[in-house]
Amino acid sequence: MKKLARAVSITKPQLQIRYKTVHFAKETDSTNLWIKRLAKEGASEGTLALAEFQSAGRGRLGRSWEVPEGTSVMMSILLRPKFEPQYAPTLTLVMGMAVAKAVKSLGFDVSIKWPNDVVVSHKRRCEYHTEMGVRDGKIDYAVIGVGINVNIKEFPEEMADKATSLYLESGKEFDRSQIPGLVMEAFEKYYEKFTATCDLSGLKEEYESILANYNQPVRVLAKEPYEGVARGITDGGELLVEKTDGTIVAVSAGEVSVRGLYSYV
């Protein structure tokens, strides 16, 4: 693993972003692991890590996430929230809204596949997930990792029907350096709304307006898989699924995966 290439301070007074210090590396094991090391060394809330390449990147449920160097945005943000640990997983949905808003500002029609994929043309273009460290029953730190496929020109055959990039959807390359700022500008606003109530009550309507699964048939890949129709989310971020017998189940993101009945979404 190459060592930290440089650390810079963001000075954009018009944005009042929570992140203050940005660490950049040509290569690291993963930005989430890097941020967790910085957190244990005492780094402050708002520290951001970005890398050109991750040798051990991981997505939700421990899936490997590796893309060609210099093609994507790979970053992790350090938070030190004061709320109780049970609320931290919902930050994944908060970040999803921020990523969707950032990508939309670049001219794309986006939606969110619950819980952690921003999609276009029914294909995944980015993924994000949250991890945390707990000490004495309190959150010591929370880390949200984000990976956005920007200038990737092709995917392996096994991923071609599920993944896409900004380049593949538009036919043009994008300046990746602008994207972290767009994401964090949106995240700050959503994060403040979330921390005011420790739930999604103030964000639920907006989230459901871009929820790709909303009122769509889905298959819940649990221990005993079942099918139903997604009916939105709870204030706590669970997906509401109406089963074929009419009962409605609140599905937790940490327990299952959800797929569209007829496609990835």
Side-chain angles (χ1 to χ4, degrees), residues 106-162:
L106 296 174
F108 294 90
D109 183 15
V110 300
S111 58
I112 291 176
K113 175 188 169 292
W114 182 92
N116 66 335
D117 290 337
V118 170
V119 300
V120 63
S121 300
H122 294 274
K123 294 181 181 180
R124 180 174 62 204
R125 102 171 13 168
C126 64
E127 184 174 289
Y128 37 90
H129 68 287
T130 302
E131 301 178 55
M132 68 174 169
V134 178
R135 180 183 298 174
D136 299 326
K138 302 291 183 181
I139 297 176
D140 183 26
Y141 62 84
V143 176
I144 309 178
V146 177
I148 304 175
N149 301 329
V150 183
N151 294 326
I152 298 177
K153 294 180 171 58
E154 62 179 356
F155 287 91
E157 184 177 349
E158 66 271 16
M159 294 178 60
D161 63 336
K162 299 181 181 68

Side-chain angles (χ1 to χ4, degrees), residues 207-260:
Y207 187 92
E208 290 181 342
S209 73
I210 55 174
L211 179 61
N213 315 93
Y214 196 54
N215 288 333
Q216 297 298 312
V218 295
R219 182 171 177 78
V220 179
L221 305 178
K223 186 176 181 180
E224 296 182 4
Y226 58 89
E227 297 174 0
V229 176
R231 297 301 189 192
I233 61 170
T234 67
D235 287 349
E238 297 93 351
L239 183 69
L240 294 171
V241 177
E242 182 178 353
K243 300 173 75 172
T244 54
D245 63 3
T247 59
I248 295 180
V249 180
V251 179
S252 172
E255 299 172 352
V256 303
S257 291
V258 174
R259 292 288 183 270

Side-chain angles (χ1 to χ4, degrees), residues 15-264:
L15 292 184
Q16 296 185 359
I17 299 295
R18 285 182 178 271
Y19 67 95
K20 299 183 177 102
T21 302
V22 177
H23 296 280
F24 173 82
K26 185 76 171 176
E27 180 180 336
T28 188
D29 45 5
S30 85
T31 56
N32 264 32
L33 290 174
W34 186 9
I35 277 286
K36 286 193 281 188
R37 292 192 290 269
L38 292 172
K40 293 174 183 177
E41 293 168 5
S44 61
E45 179 174 68
T47 300
L48 189 71
L50 294 130
E52 287 285 273
F53 179 75
Q54 296 184 128
S55 60
R58 290 289 182 270
R60 180 173 173 261
L61 303 179
R63 293 185 295 245
S64 176
W65 197 84
E66 184 175 309
V67 294
E69 180 178 339
T71 63
S72 303
V73 169
M74 291 167 284
M75 68 182 196
S76 297
I77 181 76
L78 170 64
L79 302 173
R80 295 193 183 274
K82 303 301 182 185
F83 48 72
E84 296 301 312
Q86 65 263 31
Y87 303 120
T90 314
L91 290 172
T92 299
L93 278 70
V94 177
M95 178 57 81
M97 294 179 67
V99 173
K101 187 168 185 176
V103 173
K104 184 176 181 179
S105 73
L106 296 174
F108 294 90
D109 183 15
V110 300
S111 58
I112 291 176
K113 175 188 169 292
W114 182 92
N116 66 335
D117 290 337
V118 170
V119 300
V120 63
S121 300
H122 294 274
K123 294 181 181 180
R124 180 174 62 204
R125 102 171 13 168
C126 64
E127 184 174 289
Y128 37 90
H129 68 287
T130 302
E131 301 178 55
M132 68 174 169
V134 178
R135 180 183 298 174
D136 299 326
K138 302 291 183 181
I139 297 176
D140 183 26
Y141 62 84
V143 176
I144 309 178
V146 177
I148 304 175
N149 301 329
V150 183
N151 294 326
I152 298 177
K153 294 180 171 58
E154 62 179 356
F155 287 91
E157 184 177 349
E158 66 271 16
M159 294 178 60
D161 63 336
K162 299 181 181 68
T164 188
S165 67
L166 303 185
Y167 173 84
L168 289 174
E169 294 302 318
S170 66
K172 65 178 183 179
E173 294 192 357
F174 287 80
D175 179 358
R176 291 177 297 124
S177 67
Q178 297 179 351
I179 296 175
L182 292 173
V183 172
M184 295 312 304
E185 180 180 11
F187 179 74
E188 178 188 25
K189 296 175 182 177
Y190 292 138
Y191 183 60
E192 289 181 355
K193 280 191 175 183
F194 174 77
T195 55
T197 59
C198 290
D199 62 27
L200 297 176
S201 56
L203 299 170
K204 185 173 179 289
E205 183 177 353
E206 183 175 350
Y207 187 92
E208 290 181 342
S209 73
I210 55 174
L211 179 61
N213 315 93
Y214 196 54
N215 288 333
Q216 297 298 312
V218 295
R219 182 171 177 78
V220 179
L221 305 178
K223 186 176 181 180
E224 296 182 4
Y226 58 89
E227 297 174 0
V229 176
R231 297 301 189 192
I233 61 170
T234 67
D235 287 349
E238 297 93 351
L239 183 69
L240 294 171
V241 177
E242 182 178 353
K243 300 173 75 172
T244 54
D245 63 3
T247 59
I248 295 180
V249 180
V251 179
S252 172
E255 299 172 352
V256 303
S257 291
V258 174
R259 292 288 183 270
L261 195 55
Y262 307 114
S263 67
Y264 173 69

